[in-house]
Amino acid sequence: MSPQPEKLAQLFLEGKEKQALEYLQELCNDDNKLSLYEDMITPAMYHIGELWELNKISVADEHLATGICDMVISQMENLYFRDKTTLPDEKKVMLLGVEEEQHYLGLKMAASVFKDQGWTVRYLGPNLPLHHALQFINEWKPEVIGVSAALSYRLPKLKEFLQAFQEVDFEPVIIIGGRMTKKHDLDSYSEKKVIVLEDLRSLQYWLDNGREGDMNATS
Ligand code: B12
């Protein structure tokens, strides 16, 4: 069966959580959860964004679809969680959306990718004020901080967060993700332990190949 994100989007819009999950389960096996996140759920939500932009669906429709999508991701997480608790050292990642950012489905999927790789994850969701983020960082001391932002006008806020995170004395690696990375060239942000990753496959690649170099790098 060929994957059809538009069909999934339709199920989200009709509020059909069970059918959406069943549809994904027909396509899913133990090894392709990431591909379903990247090639089905993400394009389904982008499609919903287009319908919304074209006024073909209402804000209420879009909220319903988002809610169903969120529930489906949670269920996928339970059904296909790979319990790989065998990382030699405990590796800790904290994930957050910058202050006022409400888009979080991508961040939630990134949390899933880290968990599947055996990381200890603290997913703090969207809209986290900077001082609360810093307090958490200094107490919990994650090796990696993943930040997500979707909207262009969030760039100054993102920069403020990055600057503050780069001043943390134990020098965590900072990953920038989110729709903004696909819309803007954020290469100039890639400095002192800051990495820009456009999607979950790049994240997976970095976890498989790039991580040690980055995490051992001196600033
Ligand atoms: C659902 C949705 C909402 C929901 C979000 C709820 C939620 N739980 O997330 C709500 C209703 C709150 C919302 C609000 C708004 N939204 Co909105 N929204 C969307 C929509 C339809 C889907 C977003 C989504 O979930 N996409 C799917 C996820 C999986 O994609 P993603 O975030 O890009 O994530 C991928 C990567 O970026 C990456 N990733 C993401 N985070 C991270 C983090 C790390 C560490 C890593 C490694 C990777 C990574 O992984 C994912 C897979 O590749 C988009 C359409 C779109 N094109 O995205 C519009 C969209 C983003 N929204 C838009 C707008 C305008 C708004 C509002 C301003 C509307 C308004 N007037 O109020 C507000 C702003 C709210 C705010 N303060 O942030 C516009 C933005 C347009 C622009 N020019 O920038 C879009 C594009 C819709 C449109 N076509 O016009 N929105």
Side-chain angles (χ1 to χ4, degrees):
M1 186 174 42
S2 63
Q4 293 173 31
E6 281 89 359
K7 180 175 167 186
L8 184 65
Q10 195 54 38
L11 294 171
F12 288 166
L13 285 165
E14 288 169 7
K16 292 183 174 161
E17 179 193 344
K18 190 165 170 283
Q19 286 92 329
L21 190 62
E22 281 166 3
Y23 181 46
L24 286 169
Q25 280 183 280
E26 284 170 30
L27 302 165
C28 196
N29 59 50
D30 280 346
D31 292 322
N32 72 348
K33 187 169 72 177
L34 188 147
S35 139
L36 291 184
Y37 282 165
E38 200 62 67
D39 304 327
M40 284 294 289
I41 295 181
T42 299
M45 289 309 294
Y46 287 177
H47 180 61
I48 284 165
E50 283 157 20
L51 296 176
W52 179 23
E53 206 176 348
L54 295 170
N55 259 334
K56 291 191 173 167
I57 59 168
S58 68
V59 170
D61 293 329
E62 181 267 339
H63 276 232
L64 171 65
T66 304
I68 298 293
C69 179
D70 192 351
M71 286 192 275
V72 165
I73 295 171
S74 297
Q75 305 244 33
M76 295 268 293
E77 191 55 25
N78 290 335
L79 285 168
Y80 298 103
F81 174 60
R82 290 193 287 158
D83 192 9
K84 284 177 122 192
T85 47
T86 50
L87 277 188
D89 316 309
E90 189 197 24
K91 294 287 182 200
K92 300 195 287 190
V93 57
M94 162 187 171
L95 295 157
L96 66 126
V98 299
E99 195 166 352
E100 291 177 17
E101 180 62 65
Q102 288 184 29
H103 301 88
Y104 66 76
L105 296 174
L107 192 69
K108 186 164 170 164
M109 293 188 218
S112 168
V113 174
F114 274 103
K115 275 188 220 160
D116 280 349
Q117 295 292 315
W119 284 63
T120 303
V121 178
R122 293 290 180 268
Y123 165 71
L124 278 71
N127 189 17
L128 188 67
L130 179 56
H131 68 281
H132 290 300
L134 284 171
Q135 192 179 347
F136 192 92
I137 290 165
N138 285 313
E139 282 168 14
W140 196 55
K141 301 199 178 353
E143 277 84 9
V144 175
I145 304 169
V147 190
S148 188
L151 305 175
S152 303
Y153 57 76
R154 210 73 78 211
L155 273 170
K157 185 61 81 181
L158 177 69
K159 193 149 196 184
E160 187 190 333
F161 272 59
L162 291 181
Q163 270 165 359
F165 293 169
Q166 284 174 299
E167 282 165 19
V168 171
D169 56 9
F170 58 89
E171 299 188 351
V173 172
I174 302 155
I175 300 180
I176 313 176
R179 181 175 167 274
M180 220 164 46
T181 61
K182 300 180 185 178
K183 296 279 160 197
H184 299 273
D185 181 1
L186 298 180
D187 278 354
S188 61
Y189 288 68
S190 300
E191 45 181 287
K192 198 181 161 197
K193 292 212 167 187
V194 179
I195 300 163
V196 181
L197 297 178
E198 281 194 9
D199 55 28
L200 304 178
R201 285 204 172 86
S202 316
L203 173 61
Q204 183 72 60
Y205 184 86
W206 180 75
L207 286 168
D208 289 343
N209 301 290
R211 187 166 68 79
E212 286 312 318
D214 290 316
M215 291 185 51
N216 294 333
T218 49
S219 48

